[in-house]
Amino acid sequence: MERNFAIIPAVDVLDGRAVRLEQGDYDRVAAAGGDPFELIARLAAARPPLVHVVALGAARDGGAPLGLARDAVVAAGPVPVQLGGGVRSVADAQRLVETGVARVVVGTAAFGPVPLSDFVAALGDRLAVAVDVAGGVVRTAGWLGSSGLTTAEALDRCTAAGVPAVVCTAIDRDGTLSGPDLELLREARGRFGGSLLAAGGIRDSADVEAVRSAGADGAVVGRALLDGSLELPAAR
């Protein structure tokens, strides 16, 4: 994937709807975007480098969301889809690639019993690892479980395994429009040399510039796009 900074739109899907949760709480829907595939198509019309899709139910419960993945790929058209949620094995990740997903985001399984290097070997540049942080600890299972790893420990594992990309989310900022966690991003940049995507709390163009200055290669943005406080660059 290119290293030029980019704004990447995010579509989170729960029970067939596009939603934005506050701080990952399944009972706190901060914004609703209606039909997820209509939203994906609308966002893809601006020709971002990726559309980031998360299957929230699968992230919580496990099980590769193959149907959602296929429909998301169709809706995005020529724009590559980066999709996460439900991956618990290398086989799950490979099945998602077979649906046409350009990059699979692995969270829970990245810090479980399967060696992270196995995912790297199987997926190469099609892999990104979700480092979702709350209270200095990386969360798993739809952010309801704990990996038992600090941010530093998780990032060091990613570096050691040769992970090409990380999506680093500040859980307590996610869906709140309260601004990004720049300290977290600086820590991540200091420990991880691959592509670093920042998520959580990004409100506007000033936040995007702050994230860039903190060392991120891109910003994954959800609620700000739904609310209109940030717009994707026009398609060229």
Side-chain angles (χ1 to χ4, degrees):
M1 295 293 177
E2 64 179 298
R3 294 297 297 263
N4 293 334
F5 191 92
I7 299 172
I8 298 170
V11 178
D12 292 353
V13 184
L14 181 65
D15 298 329
R17 294 189 305 149
V19 301
R20 295 303 301 178
L21 304 181
E22 284 192 7
Q23 299 175 321
D25 188 333
Y26 284 74
D27 295 322
R28 296 165 61 193
V29 176
D35 183 279
F37 307 111
E38 290 180 1
L39 179 58
I40 289 168
R42 177 161 60 85
L43 293 170
R47 295 296 189 268
L50 293 167
V51 175
H52 178 82
V53 180
V54 180
L56 291 173
R60 177 189 58 201
D61 303 327
L66 302 181
L68 171 61
R70 293 187 189 97
D71 291 342
V73 168
V74 170
V79 176
V81 171
Q82 172 175 281
L83 186 141
V87 175
R88 298 294 188 264
S89 66
V90 171
D92 283 343
Q94 290 173 320
R95 282 193 286 269
L96 286 171
V97 168
E98 289 168 2
T99 70
V101 168
R103 183 192 268 168
V104 178
V105 182
V106 180
T108 302
F111 306 112
V114 179
L116 186 49
S117 57
D118 286 3
F119 285 98
V120 175
L123 300 180
D125 287 342
R126 290 180 176 268
L127 171 68
V129 169
V131 177
D132 304 322
V133 182
V137 176
V138 175
R139 307 292 295 180
T140 56
W143 301 351
L144 300 176
S146 173
S147 69
L149 300 174
T150 66
T151 307
E153 290 168 340
L155 289 165
D156 287 349
R157 285 196 184 190
C158 290
T159 296
V163 170
V166 160
V167 182
C168 188
T169 301
I171 292 174
D172 63 344
R173 309 290 182 98
D174 198 61
T176 66
L177 296 179
S178 60
D181 187 335
L182 300 179
E183 182 177 350
L184 172 63
L185 293 176
R186 293 187 190 103
E187 178 183 9
R189 181 74 290 165
R191 290 188 171 272
F192 182 71
S195 179
L196 175 63
L197 303 180
I202 297 168
R203 300 164 292 192
D204 51 28
S205 57
D207 282 346
V208 169
E209 184 55 39
V211 162
R212 185 206 297 260
S213 296
D217 297 298
V220 178
V221 184
R223 185 175 175 183
L225 294 174
L226 291 179
D227 289 0
S229 59
L230 183 67
E231 294 184 358
L232 288 171
R236 294 181 181 180

